[in-house]
Amino acid sequence: TEYHLGLLKAKLAKYRAQLLEPSKSSAAKGEGFDVMKSGDARVALIGFPSVGKSTFLSLMTSTASEAASYEFTTLTCIPGVIEYKGANIQLLDLPGIIEGAAQGKGRGRQVIAVARTADVVIMMLDATKGEVQRALLEKELESVGIRLNKSKPNIYFKPKKGGGISFNSTVTLTQCSEKLVQLILHEYKIFNAEVLFREDCSPDEFIDVIVGNRVYMPCLYVYNKIDQISMEEVDRLARRPHSVVISCGMKLNLDYLLEKLWEYLALTCIYTKKRGQRPDFTDAIILRKGASVEHVCHRIHRSLASQFKYALVWGTSTKYSPQRVGLTHMMEHEDVIQIVKK
């Protein structure tokens, strides 16, 4: 029976994908929705109508988004910029999502498409009815291939020209078996492939790997309007993983939300220094976590990496300061770098 269930899961995933793909016939083009990417990172606000997304945007940024007590006040995407620790974070206030958004109800498809391009999703929930909203929103995002707070399944998968399906695993599998993997692949009309499981994954995760257009992104669940519920309830919500409680009306806990957001974006600030001068701490270079010296060179000027001789780095990423490093050296938060050209 579990083979049968696995097969049905594969079929379901396949049909769902077909449903979501817009029809090939050229219908009248709708209004464009996406906003140009600017700043160092992009955060999308997603939530049901009237949970306080626009109020939050107006509080955090200098942009005023129209807010009123009726649903669907915001009809397009409104961008704002948060300046925090020297970084410009673009915040997108998206229209409210309703149930069935993934099928295109209430411009839901465009909203979700914009959310796919963000680095972090902030899911705004009404604390008075948070549980129901959270489950519904997660379901909508799951069905269009956005996986929240999950890492990519560690499965090596490569289709080949011939030779059948070679299946291996480096760990004991409890949820998938070789036969099930073959059945799922046959459902997708793949008869020659190499599959290697490096962790114990479920059939769903394996299907994600085959389909391949999944987006894995961090998500913060933000419970707004906590001034309307009891202290015990606030405490319970605040202790859940990936959750923050705030109140836009009373301006409670917004600074903590910014701290958490910074943590989830995983950005690093790097300061530059000219020879014989003090470092410039006013203007930081903002990069992603895991950036190397080469990334810093590209950010300063595109021809810098080709003329690079060595760099001197002060900070936590070095054994001693200053340390002389090459292009592959990994930078850490608040390091200072001086680049020497040939």
Side-chain angles (χ1 to χ4, degrees):
T1 52
E2 69 185 65
Y3 292 135
H4 189 64
L5 282 174
L7 253 177
L8 292 178
K9 271 183 186 161
K11 279 190 174 156
L12 265 173
K14 195 171 149 192
Y15 292 143
R16 247 191 226 125
Q18 284 173 3
L19 269 178
L20 291 179
E21 275 169 21
S23 56
K24 291 284 183 280
S25 63
S26 56
K29 288 276 188 290
E31 262 306 281
F33 206 67
D34 203 5
V35 173
M36 204 174 114
K37 227 174 187 166
S38 72
D40 304 298
R42 186 175 213 183
V43 177
L45 285 173
I46 275 192
F48 278 91
S50 289
V51 289
K53 298 187 293 295
S54 300
T55 318
F56 176 70
L57 182 87
S58 308
L59 278 176
M60 287 304 202
T61 68
S62 53
T63 315
S65 180
E66 194 181 333
S69 55
Y70 53 90
E71 300 194 337
F72 294 111
T73 321
T74 309
L75 291 174
T76 67
C77 176
I78 298 178
V81 175
I82 307 176
E83 288 175 10
Y84 187 66
K85 290 191 182 177
N88 290 336
I89 302 166
Q90 188 183 32
L91 190 65
L92 300 180
D93 175 22
L94 295 169
I97 284 187
I98 47 176
E99 213 177 328
Q103 281 79 47
K105 274 189 200 162
R107 305 195 76 178
R109 222 181 241 159
Q110 288 129 308
V111 174
I112 292 173
V114 175
R116 278 177 82 107
T117 64
D119 301 306
V120 170
V121 168
I122 290 186
M123 196 180 277
M124 279 293 232
L125 304 162
D126 190 333
T128 50
K129 40 184 184 243
E131 306 305 310
V132 194
Q133 291 191 348
R134 181 171 166 171
L136 282 171
L137 279 175
E138 281 178 340
K139 197 173 134 206
E140 291 294 332
L141 294 179
E142 284 272 312
S143 62
V144 291
I146 297 177
R147 303 282 177 265
L148 301 174
N149 294 330
K150 286 183 187 166
S151 55
K152 210 169 176 182
N154 196 349
I155 301 174
Y156 172 75
F157 168 73
K158 190 179 176 193
K160 291 191 310 210
K161 290 280 186 287
I165 291 170
S166 73
F167 175 85
N168 267 317
S169 65
T170 55
V171 287
T172 335
L173 298 182
T174 53
Q175 302 165 323
C176 274
S177 64
E178 186 171 354
K179 190 174 170 195
L180 179 56
V181 166
Q182 282 182 346
L183 285 170
I184 292 175
L185 284 171
H186 287 177
E187 184 57 46
Y188 278 94
K189 304 216 168 19
I190 299 172
F191 300 102
N192 303 302
E194 216 173 310
V195 180
L196 170 63
F197 275 73
R198 295 198 185 98
E199 62 179 355
D200 187 14
C201 294
S202 63
D204 291 328
E205 290 175 310
F206 179 56
I207 293 167
D208 281 354
V209 172
I210 302 173
V211 178
N213 61 351
R214 303 289 185 239
V215 186
Y216 297 88
M217 57 171 62
C219 170
L220 264 174
Y221 301 103
V222 177
Y223 293 93
N224 188 13
K225 307 185 186 176
I226 53 168
D227 45 304
Q228 299 174 11
I229 54 176
S230 66
M231 258 340 272
E232 294 80 35
E233 184 68 3
V234 171
D235 188 57
R236 193 182 64 78
L237 290 176
R239 287 180 195 285
R240 299 188 60 174
H242 312 297
S243 299
V244 180
V245 290
I246 63 162
S247 162
C248 289
M250 315 272 268
K251 300 196 170 98
L252 302 174
N253 211 16
L254 295 173
D255 45 353
Y256 176 65
L257 173 57
L258 268 183
E259 271 174 50
K260 281 301 262 189
L261 186 59
W262 180 261
E263 194 184 303
Y264 274 64
L265 284 167
L267 296 174
T268 45
C269 295
I270 288 155
Y271 301 106
T272 52
K273 174 184 176 317
K274 289 183 179 159
R275 183 178 287 172
Q277 293 179 6
R278 293 184 65 81
D280 176 13
F281 286 123
T282 52
D283 187 22
I285 296 177
I286 310 285
L287 292 162
R288 286 295 143 84
K289 202 172 233 156
S292 64
V293 177
E294 192 170 357
H295 290 113
V296 181
C297 292
H298 286 312
R299 273 305 281 274
I300 297 171
H301 195 274
R302 60 174 186 270
S303 67
L304 192 55
S306 53
Q307 303 167 344
F308 178 87
K309 189 174 177 189
Y310 65 89
L312 294 171
V313 175
W314 291 257
T316 50
S317 67
T318 57
K319 293 191 177 100
Y320 43 86
S321 292
Q323 183 176 335
R324 192 173 156 162
V325 296
L327 279 174
T328 52
H329 176 75
M330 288 298 176
M331 303 293 287
E332 281 178 19
H333 188 48
E334 294 189 338
D335 280 0
V336 175
I337 185 169
Q338 174 186 330
I339 294 171
V340 180
K341 295 204 287 193
K342 282 176 186 155

